[in-house]
Amino acid sequence: AAKERSLGNIDKALDYYSQCIHIDGRNHAAMYEVARIYEEKKKYNDALFFSTSASQLDPSNEWYKLLSADLYTATRKMAEAEVLYGQLYREHPENLDYALDYAMALLGNNKIQEAIKVYDEVERQAGTSPELTMEKQRLWLKLGKTDKAAAEIEKLIASDKEIGRAHV
């Protein structure tokens, strides 16, 4: 199956992986590969079935969880995506991609202040960035908190001056 996939014979690979699952219904690795193939084919619901099945069989597998979370996002099931991205973020707090994915899922569920808290943590780890600061400013404005929105802009200006001084 892996050979066929690497050769670009996706349908043949799918058939072989399906045979693996038929022989061993607990073969989570084959389920994951089937999910990835269905994702490539944009058959998200089929992909989600196999990715969640793989994840249930091996709940500690980060990649299974990530694929399921991405598929929940693709199918606009943001509550489910939020749960999985939140787990990934808590299990791997150093992975800022998981933090940003979690924040986006929170925003998809209209949990703006929780998303801002996650963005604050990203800033603590990675430093101030214009993109993140502008996003936080936009969110504070959406909440009607103009004082906090202004504070974000002031923080960005201050960090830009510090960067400028460091290069002089």
Side-chain angles (χ1 to χ4, degrees), residues 14-64:
L14 182 59
D15 184 49
Y16 287 147
Y17 282 124
S18 296
Q19 288 178 37
C20 291
I21 295 167
H22 182 73
I23 292 167
D24 176 9
R26 298 188 57 76
N27 188 330
H28 49 82
M31 290 177 188
Y32 173 74
E33 293 301 330
V34 167
R36 288 183 53 219
I37 290 171
Y38 279 132
E39 179 189 33
E40 286 175 28
K41 292 175 166 269
K42 300 195 182 328
K43 293 183 174 184
Y44 298 125
N45 288 323
D46 292 333
L48 196 50
F49 172 80
F50 284 99
S51 70
T52 56
S53 296
S55 197
Q56 288 170 354
L57 290 168
D58 185 2
S60 66
N61 190 303
E62 168 182 1
W63 304 109
Y64 299 174

Side-chain angles (χ1 to χ4, degrees), residues 102-128:
Y102 180 46
M104 290 304 296
L106 287 166
L107 290 173
N109 289 315
N110 206 32
K111 296 179 179 178
I112 296 171
Q113 286 190 287
E114 290 179 48
I116 291 171
K117 288 178 186 175
V118 174
Y119 286 150
D120 287 341
E121 182 55 36
V122 170
E123 270 189 338
R124 275 191 283 284
Q125 290 186 47
T128 304

Side-chain angles (χ1 to χ4, degrees), residues 113 136-137 140-141 145-154:
Q113 286 190 287
K136 286 172 50 181
Q137 183 254 355
W140 283 123
L141 286 174
K145 308 246 179 173
T146 54
D147 55 330
K148 293 193 181 230
E152 289 297 330
I153 298 304
E154 289 169 9

Side-chain angles (χ1 to χ4, degrees), residues 123 128-141 145-161:
E123 270 189 338
T128 304
S129 80
E131 298 82 11
L132 195 54
T133 300
M134 295 304 291
E135 175 65 4
K136 286 172 50 181
Q137 183 254 355
R138 184 187 71 77
L139 294 172
W140 283 123
L141 286 174
K145 308 246 179 173
T146 54
D147 55 330
K148 293 193 181 230
E152 289 297 330
I153 298 304
E154 289 169 9
K155 181 172 58 175
L156 182 61
I157 292 168
S159 74
D160 193 44
K161 287 179 184 175

